[in-house]
Each structure stands twice: as C-alpha cells, then as structure tokens.
Amino acid sequence: MYTFKHGVHPDECKELAKDKPIRVVSAGKTLVFPMQQHIGAKAKPCVKVGDNVLMGQIIGEADGIISANVLSSVSGKVTAIEERLVVGGQKVESIVIENDEKYDAIKGFGVERDFNSLSNEEIIRIVKDAGIVGLGGASFPTHVKLSPKDPNKIDYILVNGAECEPYLTSDYRLMIEETETLVKGLQCMLKLFPRAKGVICVEDNKRDAYDKITKACSSISNIETALMKTKYPQGGERQLIFAITGRKINVSVLPADAGCLVDNVDTVVSIGNAVCKSTPLLRRIITLSGDAYNETANLNVRFGISYKEIVDFAGGFKVNPEKMVSGGPMMGLPIFSLDMPVSKNSSALLAFTKDPLSNQNETNCINCGRCVSACPINLVPTRMLKAAKTGNFEEYIKLNGTECITCGSCSFVCPAKKPLTPYFSYMKFAVRGYLNSKKEAK
Amino acid sequence: MDLKLNVQSSPHVRDRISTSAIMLDVIIALIPATVWGILRFGVHAAIVVAVAVISAVLSETLFNIIVKKPNTIGDLSCVVTGLILGLNMPPEVPFFVPAVGSFFAIVIVKMLFGGLGQNFMNPALAGRCFCIISFAGFMNNFTSRMSVDAYTSATPLIILKSGNEVNLFDMLFGYIPGTIGEISAICLLLGAIYLAVKKIIDLRIPILYIVSFVIFIMIFGQGKSTNINYILGEVLGGGLIFGAFFMATDYATSPITPLGKVLYGILLGVLTGIFRLFGKSGESVSYVILISNLLVPLIESFTIPTAFGKEGK
Ligand code: SF4
Ligand code: SF4
C-alpha cells in the first residue's frame, strides 16, 4: 500500500455522512457570484445591471493568464454588481442575479460529446470556458495547469481521491456515484499528455470506491488505481506525489517539473462533465457534517446559493453551533457568518455544538518531539515556533519554515496545545515581506 | 438565526493527549518501582518519597505565588520530578534531605530557567547531585534496617569493582541495597514497557544507551569482556536501568531531533562506560546524564533533519 512518512491519525468521523447520497439543493431567489473564486487575477464582469443571463453564461471573464471565468448557475436578471462578503472574510466584487427559475441554458448545454473527436486545443478551451478550477482547495485555474511548458514531460496524472480530512465525504460520494464521469474526465486529461499514465488514488478507508473505480477502468490501458494508507495528510500534493511515484518536491518545485499533474476528484469529474456532456462548472459537492446538524448531508449546490439556504435545505441545526468550519477540521477556514455565497473555493460546511478548542490548557512546550514525528515535511515545529514568536526570520528560514504546508499535524498532536500551525500560516506572509524588504535594502 | 461562532485558525481539532496526561503516565509507570521500594525498605522510605513529592509541589506553588504567575502544578510535572528524586534517595536518609533536594530541583533548576520544558538539566537529577555534594554522608549510606541481617550494604557495583560475582537474580528482582526506586530491574522495566506502549518515551535513547555501554565495557573491560555476570551486573546495577528509561528520556533535557536522540544515547553509553571503568564514584549514571544534558543544544544544532524534498540540496 502506498503512503508517506510521518503524519497523524485524527478521528475520521466519516460515518456521519458517508452513506448520504448526493442531493441537489434547489436554488433560491437571489444568487451571488464573486469575481474572485480562484487563485490569480480577479475575473472582469462582462454583464451589466439589468441584463438577462442564461444558465451557463459567462458573466465574469478571465482577466490575465492565471484567472478563470465565472458563470451564472441559473437564468435570470443581473440586479447588482457590488462588494459582497466571502468565506475568507474579505469583501469581493460580486454579480447578484435574480433567479427567474426557468433554468434556460446556453446553446448546446448538456449535449453529449466524444472527447476523442476533439483536438487538444479544443479540450483546453472547453475547460477554460467552463470556468473549471481545482476544487480540492487551491482553486488554481485548471486550463492553466493543463497547459504546462512541455506536455511530454508529464508522465503521471494523479487523481487525488485521498479525502484525508476528517468528516468530509463528498469526494467519496462522487467516486461512487459518478465513477464513469470521473474516468471519462481522466481520459480527457490523458489525451493531452500522451506519455502520461493516469492513477486514481484512494485511501483504504474507502475501499468500496476503490473497487468500483478499479472495475470501471480495468479495460483502459493507461489508467490505474492505487490504494493508499489512511493517514493525514495523505492528500497533500507533495505527500501524494511521493506516495505514488517516490518523487519528492519542495516549495520551489512545481509538480509538473516532477512530471506530475495532481487534480482532485471533483475537478476531474467537472472536466468530464464539461468535455463529454457540455455541462460547465456550475456546482460543487458539499458535505454538511458535525454534531450540530439535525441531518448530515452531501449536497450538489449551485454556485451563488448562500450557506444559510443550504443549511436550511438540509434540515437546519439541532443546537446552534459554537464553531463552524468551511472545509475539513485540519485545514479549513473558520466561518463567522452564513450570509455568504457558495463558490468554487467553498468546501465542506462543518458545524460543532462545542468548539473542540475552547477548553484546551496551553502549557509550556515540553520538548516532547511529537510535532517532529508528526510533520510530513520533516521540520522541527517547536523550534520554528520559537523563531516565529521572537520574529527571528533568519532562524525561521534556516529551519526550512518556508517549506511548511500548514497541514496542522503538529498542532494536532501537541500535548502542550501550542498554536504552532496558526503561527506558521502567519509566517508564510511575514517571511515574504521580510525577504522583499531585505532585497530592497540591498 | 443568530449565530455566535468562535473564530480561530486551523486546525480545529486536537489530539486527546495533554501535558498532564503524559506526566500522569510517567507517574503510573513508576508505581511498580515505588511499591517495591517501600515493601523492601519500609515506612521510612515511603515517607522519604512522600516528602520529596510534597516538597516539589509546594516549592512550585510558592514560586508561582512569589512571581505572581498562575500555578502550574496542574501539569503534574513537579510531581514527576519529586517522585523521581524521592526514588533516588537512599532508604534511611533523613527527611530534610529530600525536602531540600526537591526545593533545589524545582526552584533553582526548573522554575528559575523558565519552568516546564525550559530547564537544560534534569531537575530531579540535579537535585540528587546537589544532595550528594551537600549531604554526602547521608546520601552514600545504603544500609537499611529492614535488610540488615540478610544483605550486606555493599552495592553491586562495589562488589563488581572488587572482582567478585554478583547475584543477578537479586538484582533483577530487587533484593539488593540501593536507592529506594532503583533496586528492581523488573519493576522498572515494567514501567518502561508501559511508557513505550503508550508512546510516551522514545526507546531509541535508552536502548542505544545500554547497548553502547555494553559494547564499550566489552571492548575496554580488560579481561572481563566475556564475563556474563560482570556485564549483566554492570547493566542492572548503579541505577543504569532507572537512568536510561526514566531520566535520559526526559523530554526537556534530551535532543528533539531523531538523529540527535541516537547520538545522545551513544554518548551516554560511552561516558557511563568511561566513568564505570576508570572512575571511582558509583554515581556515574547521574553525572553522565547531567553532563550530557549540557551537550544537548550542541547535538541538536547539527542534527536538524533535512526538510522533505530538500535532500541533496
Ligand atoms: S509537540 Fe508541542 S510540546 Fe511537544 S515538542 Fe512540539 S511544541 Fe513542544
Ligand atoms: S503545519 Fe507545517 S510544521 Fe506543522 S506538521 Fe504541517 S508541515 Fe509540519
């Protein structure tokens, strides 16, 4: 079985939602589309207030090389273009659309297509027009990823089905329910990279998904499946690449430089949908889980629907939660309001009646070394924390702190309950600033 | 819906392990040795251990009151220090000795250097050595009124030094003179197994300590290198087992880096070998660990592991 060194084993808590089939959430009256749902340049609105739009129509155009289109997920009328709150806590220019509930789609929407009859350029254009970005968290525009300098250097396309964060089950549901589209999506990608082999990587706590996919691609010569050990962060890009190929990359090396492309399950399914079914990216799959819900769920949510609406759709809260997280509990963002739209960079929505962090006794670091044994990057987190707290950037860099992937493993295991990862997230930006000012000084 | 949500940076879940749970496990691991010591040496020994623990707890409380900091005794580390110090006392030592020893260990060695995890010497060991220097007469007297007729007061190391054989069975099960907690290898190893199973201690240090010590005395043992009785006697005697599993593994005073742990274990073994073969004092283990404690920052500085993906760069 494939795996990496170190890492941790948080309680999986997947049984809460893993057997809930994906349900489609019905959209409300008003939908909000932020122009920044991806890494890179903000999209530029290409509609005006008062315009009528169709489902699948591009309403925000990719602006620059690294950017992505934003599409309307319903048909209706543009009622406002204004700043709206998004999950990260920022306000972002957004297009507000009044849903006419007719779901009139753009021409050709939903038409079946054979990817073999398409040229590589056409496939990449379709992916770009469909507004597809990485749906595993990074939200990197997929068409850019699919156009590396030298396609012949790519010998692995890894589909990340690790879903190693506790609670999350949306990728699992997709792998089971959309097996065929997943394999199709991967075939589309492989067409672009003639020398590459596709590997669908699944953790061994999802064996049924693994078996189903293995069966579905048994007759396809350039696709394999790989069963990986259930361990966090098995789905981290560097850990996944190492587990499957034995190649090691660091922060300054792109996966493509190591001959690998990594995409998450939902992204590959979206590619399959866009290329083979002419259905652009208008939705994402969201797991609602945690003890505060009446009913956990895996939901197919159109972009633009507010978090509040999906919580109500699923059946609301049993008790008002004390803590909510967008994403998994190890790396997700804390949520402070439900009045925000679901977008491409959304993730699961977890709700806990008790904040697991509220009654932790922080003590001095006892130098126990648990953080060292947990760190998948082989760092010495307790020393990094000392350097970070004293603002000693040189020491922090010497300790390779810039290699930290903020996976949270060190904070998770620390018996002294030290805020290790939060400091390292902060240092990511602080070190950059420090290096810039140093350069200027020279 | 009016939600009041906590906002804190990830990760949002934590392992159940805590500082106090770890300390509690160390205390549990020392119970067999403690019970055996008390059975062997009687009420006086029990009071010695109790005094050491109580003095440690009071010293830490007092210190925190004086410097106006929240009391830290809840993390139980002062109980561990007091217990280890008490177990390292001879059975008939007057009660003021452990009281002073614990005070020294907690206040001077631990708290003044910033408290838990900040000290660079093992507090219990430093406390013990402080007592040996200050109260040599009491600290070197291993006679016990409980065992006066059946056993001599000569410790196994003295017997070995004079070229005689020791009774390994007695050393294993704890029918020898010595400090309260160090006499039964079996009881100590039971505790060590518990700590290893619960992943509290990293076995690299104690095992390399013992292995490198054995290799060292086999090489330099002048004619005794194949004498099983001699070698096992050296391993089981002189508090080596106690030191290797319960003191050399002290988090704060051992290297945090994996390679550092390896080097540290070997260093301890070699130094103990040198002290045992060429020195006079029977207290080599305590001194060796303290000296090695001082070298830990140096060892760590050149054993920082290579980051993932940075190999060969
Ligand atoms: S896990 Fe926590 S207590 Fe242990 S060494 Fe790391 S920071 Fe210190
Ligand atoms: S957050 Fe950073 S330092 Fe901590 S375990 Fe993950 S990679 Fe290592």
Side-chain angles (χ1 to χ4, degrees):
Chain A
M1 202 159 357
Y2 301 96
T3 194
F4 64 100
K5 294 202 185 78
H6 299 183
V8 293
H9 295 277
D11 292 344
E12 292 174 30
C13 303
K14 299 219 187 238
E15 58 302 328
L16 284 174
K18 97 185 234 297
D19 297 320
K20 304 283 173 72
I22 297 172
R23 287 188 292 155
V24 178
V25 177
S26 35
K29 269 275 129 304
T30 315
L31 292 97
V32 179
F33 301 89
M35 289 296 104
Q36 180 99 63
Q37 311 185 9
H38 50 264
I39 287 196
K42 210 158 69 72
K44 250 210 325 259
C46 54
V47 290
K48 296 185 303 297
V49 175
D51 283 2
N52 283 314
V53 297
L54 296 171
M55 179 168 81
Q57 182 178 333
I58 295 175
I59 53 175
E61 258 174 351
D63 188 19
I65 297 176
I66 300 183
S67 183
N69 291 329
V70 177
L71 281 63
S72 175
S73 63
V74 294
S75 59
K77 188 183 238 148
V78 178
T79 56
I81 300 181
E82 61 192 26
E83 304 230 301
R84 288 290 185 109
L85 202 63
V86 297
V87 169
Q90 314 87 320
K91 286 199 159 178
V92 172
E93 177 178 41
S94 304
I95 296 176
V96 184
I97 290 177
E98 177 106 351
N99 182 4
D100 64 14
E101 290 175 41
K102 292 193 199 123
Y103 301 97
D104 293 329
I106 50 169
K107 209 167 102 236
F109 186 95
V111 175
E112 302 262 338
R113 252 190 307 221
D114 177 11
F115 68 89
N116 278 313
S117 66
L118 298 167
S119 72
N120 290 356
E121 292 69 37
E122 278 172 311
I123 291 181
I124 291 177
R125 189 187 45 77
I126 291 169
V127 168
K128 180 179 181 195
D129 287 348
I132 299 177
V133 305
L135 298 173
S139 322
F140 189 80
T142 302
H143 66 276
V144 183
K145 208 183 210 176
L146 293 180
S147 333
K149 271 174 277 161
D150 184 2
N152 281 318
K153 261 189 74 183
I154 303 294
D155 51 3
Y156 278 102
I157 295 181
L158 306 177
V159 180
N160 188 350
E163 198 161 56
C164 57
E165 279 265 18
Y167 291 94
L168 311 197
T169 53
S170 53
D171 285 348
Y172 166 74
R173 291 308 314 175
L174 268 178
M175 287 190 277
I176 292 219
E177 296 182 31
E178 301 273 347
T179 320
E180 230 172 276
T181 320
L182 175 71
V183 175
K184 277 256 176 70
L186 180 53
Q187 286 181 295
C188 298
M189 296 169 79
L190 284 165
K191 187 167 181 302
L192 306 176
F193 302 98
R195 289 194 54 246
K197 168 168 92 171
V199 186
I200 302 176
C201 317
V202 187
E203 272 190 352
D204 69 339
N205 60 356
K206 296 177 268 290
R207 213 169 250 273
D208 46 345
Y210 170 81
D211 290 340
K212 190 156 184 227
I213 298 170
T214 308
K215 222 169 117 203
C217 59
S218 57
S219 59
I220 305 171
S221 64
N222 57 352
I223 296 185
E224 288 173 10
T225 48
L227 199 58
M228 305 184 294
K229 213 163 140 186
T230 302
K231 188 163 78 167
Y232 181 85
Q234 184 65 72
E237 200 166 55
R238 293 185 223 172
Q239 283 63 51
L240 186 80
I241 291 175
F242 173 72
I244 305 297
T245 70
R247 298 172 193 169
K248 290 182 167 186
I249 61 169
N250 59 45
V251 73
S252 47
V253 182
L254 286 175
D257 297 333
C260 298
L261 278 193
V262 184
D263 262 311
N264 117 304
V265 166
D266 202 1
T267 317
V268 179
V269 169
S270 300
I271 294 173
N273 277 329
V275 178
C276 305
K277 296 183 191 161
S278 310
T279 307
L281 179 59
L282 303 181
R283 61 97 188 108
R284 69 167 297 143
I285 312 299
I286 290 190
T287 301
L288 261 54
S289 189
D291 61 350
Y293 289 111
N294 277 316
E295 196 69 59
T296 60
N298 294 295
L299 302 175
N300 172 328
V301 188
R302 276 171 207 278
F303 297 132
I305 298 180
S306 82
Y307 281 118
K308 186 176 175 322
E309 285 170 290
I310 62 172
V311 171
D312 290 342
F313 177 87
F317 296 124
K318 209 173 354 187
V319 207
N320 270 1
E322 188 175 287
K323 177 75 162 263
M324 292 193 74
V325 177
S326 166
M330 295 298 284
M331 286 188 81
L333 292 169
I335 288 229
F336 54 91
S337 159
L338 291 180
D339 195 16
M340 292 183 285
V342 169
S343 61
K344 295 176 198 171
N345 48 6
S346 296
S347 185
L349 189 63
L350 308 181
F352 304 106
T353 46
K354 278 264 150 292
D355 182 356
L357 300 187
S358 59
N359 52 6
Q360 303 279 358
N361 286 326
E362 187 177 332
T363 69
N364 281 355
C365 165
I366 55 174
N367 205 47
C368 66
R370 279 177 176 73
C371 51
V372 180
S373 329
C375 180
I377 305 295
N378 231 1
L379 303 174
V380 188
T382 173
R383 296 288 180 276
M384 283 157 58
L385 180 68
K386 213 185 240 166
K389 277 190 164 171
T390 52
N392 190 341
F393 288 101
E394 290 298 335
E395 173 74 5
Y396 191 82
I397 293 165
K398 213 178 97 204
L399 288 166
N400 278 314
T402 45
E403 290 290 329
C404 170
I405 56 170
T406 59
C407 68
S409 300
C410 51
S411 280
F412 174 78
V413 293
C414 177
K417 314 295 169 193
K418 287 286 167 201
L420 298 155
T421 314
Y423 264 95
F424 306 156
S425 311
Y426 160 75
M427 284 302 273
K428 264 194 166 169
F429 299 96
V431 167
R432 214 174 298 154
Y434 168 77
L435 290 178
N436 284 342
S437 65
K438 212 171 112 176
K439 232 184 270 160
E440 271 166 32
K442 270 198 186 150
Chain B
M1 184 167 25
D2 196 16
L3 291 177
K4 276 208 186 64
L5 295 167
N6 284 356
V7 181
Q8 237 173 325
S9 183
S10 62
H12 308 285
V13 282
R14 296 292 168 84
D15 206 356
R16 278 168 284 272
I17 188 96
S18 66
T19 301
S20 52
I22 290 173
M23 297 301 162
L24 188 62
D25 271 336
V26 178
I27 294 167
I28 291 171
L30 284 167
I31 286 177
T34 310
V35 169
W36 180 252
I38 291 170
L39 285 178
R40 283 279 297 131
F41 297 127
V43 182
H44 189 94
I47 300 176
V48 167
V49 174
V51 166
V53 172
I54 292 167
S55 164
V57 174
L58 289 181
S59 303
E60 186 154 321
T61 309
L62 199 70
F63 184 91
N64 283 322
I65 290 174
I66 290 172
V67 300
K68 299 202 176 67
K69 289 251 175 75
N71 203 353
T72 43
I73 58 170
D75 63 39
L76 296 182
S77 92
C78 58
V79 177
V80 170
T81 301
L83 183 58
I84 292 184
L85 185 75
L87 294 178
N88 274 289
M89 290 283 148
E92 297 289 337
V93 80
F95 301 135
F96 79 89
V97 176
V100 173
S102 278
F103 177 82
F104 179 85
I106 295 292
V107 174
I108 310 289
V109 186
K110 177 179 161 194
M111 300 310 276
L112 281 179
F113 282 94
L116 180 63
Q118 305 296 305
N119 47 294
F120 60 87
M121 276 200 278
N122 185 318
L125 266 184
R128 180 189 191 192
C129 291
F130 173 77
C131 292
I132 292 173
I133 295 164
S134 316
F135 318 110
F138 295 126
M139 290 298 288
N140 288 327
N141 177 7
F142 292 105
T143 46
S144 160
R145 59 192 120 179
M146 303 278 291
S147 57
V148 70
D149 29 75
Y151 307 95
T152 67
S153 67
T155 60
L157 288 192
I158 296 174
I159 300 174
L160 286 171
K161 197 116 199 157
S162 61
N164 294 312
E165 294 232 321
V166 286
N167 183 333
L168 291 176
F169 178 88
D170 286 353
M171 295 183 78
L172 215 47
F173 289 92
Y175 293 98
I176 50 170
T179 67
I180 299 168
E182 77 180 11
I183 51 171
S184 165
I186 292 278
C187 288
L188 290 168
L189 289 174
L190 273 180
I193 291 170
Y194 175 79
L195 291 182
V197 168
K198 293 210 78 181
K199 298 213 167 77
I200 305 291
I201 58 170
D202 187 320
L203 285 180
R204 267 175 289 199
I205 294 175
I207 289 183
L208 280 167
Y209 184 174
I210 293 168
V211 168
S212 57
F213 170 69
V214 167
I215 293 174
F216 186 90
I217 57 171
M218 284 176 82
I219 296 175
F220 297 102
Q222 291 140 345
K224 290 185 251 177
S225 40
T226 49
N227 182 339
I228 302 287
N229 183 278
Y230 170 74
I231 289 167
L232 285 179
E234 285 285 343
V235 170
L236 296 176
L240 179 59
I241 299 287
F242 197 122
F245 286 98
F246 290 94
M247 301 198 276
T249 53
D250 175 39
Y251 292 148
T253 56
S254 61
I256 200 170
T257 57
L259 180 61
K261 286 186 206 291
V262 171
L263 296 179
Y264 183 68
I266 295 172
L267 175 73
L268 290 168
V270 170
L271 283 182
T272 306
I274 295 175
F275 273 60
R276 286 268 180 97
L277 288 183
F278 310 114
K280 284 208 181 70
S281 168
E283 283 320 314
S284 51
V285 169
S286 306
Y287 290 123
V288 163
I289 296 177
L290 282 179
I291 292 169
S292 304
N293 284 171
L294 301 178
L295 295 173
V296 166
L298 180 70
I299 296 177
E300 277 186 354
S301 68
F302 61 83
T303 54
I304 295 289
T306 317
F308 181 92
K310 286 267 195 172
E311 296 84 355
K313 269 165 210 148

